Amino acid sequence: MTEATVTPGPDETLRAEMDRMLHDAGITANRELIRRIIGTAIELGRDGTERLDLKITASAVAEMRRAFRIFAPYAGVPKVTIFGSARTRSDDPLYEQAHDIAERLAERGWMVVTGAGPGIMQAAAEGAGPDRAIGVSIRLPFEERPNAIFADRDNVVAMKYFFTRKLMLMKESSGFVCVPGGFGTMDEMFELLTLQQTGKAEPMPIVLLDEPGGQFWSGLRHFVEEQMIPAGVVSGDDLERVLITDSVEAAEAEITGFWRNYDSLRWIDELLVLRVRNAPTPDELESLNERFGHLLVSGRIESMSAMPVEIADGDVPDLPRLTMILNPFKVGHLFHLIRAINDLDSAPDRVPAGTKNPSE
C-alpha cells in the first residue's frame, strides 16, 4: 500500500511563497513579523477592502517606514519632543523659552524632536541646532514646508496623516515639553496624559512650560481642579504627573531628573520589573513597601537581580531590579513610585550628561 500524497493547502502554499520571497530579498531578521505584515496586506485584498482604505493603509505604512529610517541612527540617544504653536512669533517670550530649553537639553546630550514647522517648532530646532534636531512635519495645503533648520538635511520626514506623525513624535522620546499653543498642541498634550493615565505608554516626564509669569497652563490646572475632578472624570492626582512651570531650569531638571535612578520597566507575565541604577537599602525598600503597598495585588516590592529571560534578551542585565505584582488598575499611579525611587538617598546624584539612562 502506497502512502497518500498530501497536497499543501492554499495557506501553506502561500506561506511557502512568502518564505521564498523573504529569502530572495535577503531578509533574515524578524521574518515572522514581516510575514505577518505581508499576510495582513493579502487579507485586506481577500476582504475586498475599498480602494480608499487601501490607500490609507499603504500611505501610513510607507511613511512610518520613512520615519523609522530617520530615527534609526539615533536609537541610543535620549530624545525630548517639544510641542507648541506654529503661530508663535520670534519676538514672543514663549519663543525664547522653547529655544532655551532645547538648547540646554542639547548641551546635556539630548536630541530635540519637533514638528519641523514655524513658531515654537522652529525655536526649539534653532535652540538644539541642526545636528541635534529631528523634524516630523505634516503636509498641509496652507502650511509652509519644514523650517530652515531642516533645509537640505536628512533628519526630517514629512507625513500625510496626523496619526502617524503623532506616533513618531511620541514613540521615540523620553521626555516632553509642551509650550502654550492651539488645538493641535492641546491635542498632543492630552494624548500624552491619556497614554500615561491608562498605562499605554511607559512613564515619562512631561513639562508644561509657560512664559515667565504666564498663566496659560495655570488656567488648565484650575479647569481640571474646578471642573474635571469634581465631575469625577479624572482622578485627583492625574495632573500631578506633569510639571507646570515658567522656569527653563526647572523644566530641564524635571526631564533629566526623571532618569536619575529609574531606568526602564518590563512586564514578565503578571510581574512588573523596574530597572534602577542603584538598588535601595533594606530600610529604603521597607519604606517603599509602606508607602506603595496599596498599589499591589499581593506580595511586596522586592529587590532582585536580572531574571533569566532578561539576561537571555540582553535587557540591561547588569542593573538591579525592583519587582512587584502591580494592580493593573493602578498602573496610572506608577509615576509616584518612580519619583520616590529617584528621591532615595541611595540614588545617584544626577544622570550623566548625554544619557537618559546608563544602558544607552
Side-chain angles (χ1 to χ4, degrees), residues 259-263 275-279 319-320 348 350-352 358:
W259 307 103
R260 175 188 173 195
N261 197 15
Y262 170 69
D263 176 272
R275 282 76 73 99
V276 296
R277 297 178 63 204
N278 287 354
L319 293 183
R350 61 180 297 174
V351 179

Side-chain angles (χ1 to χ4, degrees), residues 64-342:
M64 282 193 290
R65 173 183 176 256
R66 290 194 296 271
F68 294 153
R69 294 182 69 186
I70 290 292
F71 279 91
Y74 311 107
V77 183
K79 303 171 194 69
V80 59
T81 295
I82 299 180
F83 294 116
S85 176
R87 303 184 185 188
T88 305
R89 297 169 59 90
S90 60
D91 58 352
D92 192 308
L94 291 172
Y95 195 100
E96 183 176 357
Q97 292 284 83
H99 176 283
D100 290 352
I101 185 59
E103 182 177 52
R104 292 177 72 101
L105 288 170
E107 289 173 349
R108 291 287 303 273
W110 288 61
M111 296 199 73
V112 174
V113 183
T114 76
I120 293 300
M121 294 173 279
Q122 180 161 343
E126 289 174 351
D131 294 332
R132 306 297 299 182
I134 300 176
V136 186
S137 67
I138 187 75
R139 295 197 294 271
L140 295 174
F142 55 83
E143 191 133 300
E144 301 174 27
R145 289 182 294 180
N147 64 59
I149 298 297
F150 298 105
D152 301 320
R153 299 185 67 86
D154 58 4
N155 57 346
V156 61
V157 59
M159 313 291 267
K160 179 177 181 180
Y161 299 114
F162 274 108
F163 76 91
T164 50
R165 181 195 193 217
K166 195 185 300 182
L167 169 67
M168 297 311 304
L169 286 170
M170 297 183 180
K171 170 185 174 293
E172 298 287 338
S173 288
S174 305
F176 301 89
V177 178
C178 301
V179 181
F183 293 150
T185 302
M186 300 300 285
D187 171 58
E188 291 153 347
M189 183 270 299
F190 277 119
E191 176 138 347
L192 282 173
L193 295 184
T194 301
L195 292 172
Q196 295 292 304
Q197 179 193 56
T198 57
K200 291 295 287 183
E202 292 188 18
M204 299 284 177
I206 301 171
V207 176
L208 308 185
L209 179 62
D210 213 327
E211 66 180 281
Q215 299 297 311
F216 187 94
W217 296 122
S218 297
L220 172 67
R221 176 161 48 197
H222 293 324
F223 179 77
V224 171
E225 293 174 348
E226 296 171 7
Q227 301 295 330
M228 300 181 77
I229 293 175
V233 295
V234 299
S235 299
D237 65 348
D238 275 343
L239 207 57
E240 292 179 16
R241 71 184 74 251
V242 307
L243 172 68
I244 297 177
T245 184
D246 62 359
S247 166
V248 169
E249 292 78 10
E252 178 194 4
E254 177 72 7
I255 296 295
T256 59
F258 189 87
W259 307 103
R260 175 188 173 195
N261 197 15
Y262 170 69
D263 176 272
S264 55
L265 63 78
R266 177 171 178 174
W267 291 91
I268 302 176
D269 297 324
E270 78 281 0
L271 190 70
L272 174 63
V273 181
L274 299 183
R275 282 76 73 99
V276 296
R277 297 178 63 204
N278 287 354
T281 66
D283 287 344
E284 289 173 336
L285 187 60
E286 186 63 32
S287 176
L288 290 176
N289 274 287
E290 290 175 0
R291 294 174 59 189
F292 300 102
H294 65 283
L295 300 180
L296 310 184
V297 172
S298 61
R300 291 169 49 84
I301 301 172
E302 303 284 356
S303 184
M304 292 181 60
S305 56
M307 301 184 70
V309 65
E310 295 177 291
I311 295 172
D313 291 342
D315 197 356
V316 288
D318 295 334
L319 293 183
R321 267 81 167 146
L322 295 176
T323 62
M324 66 207 75
I325 302 177
L326 184 73
N327 183 338
F329 294 101
K330 300 291 187 179
V331 69
H333 300 277
L334 195 55
F335 71 98
H336 289 300
L337 174 57
I338 290 173
R339 286 181 175 172
I341 291 170
N342 288 327

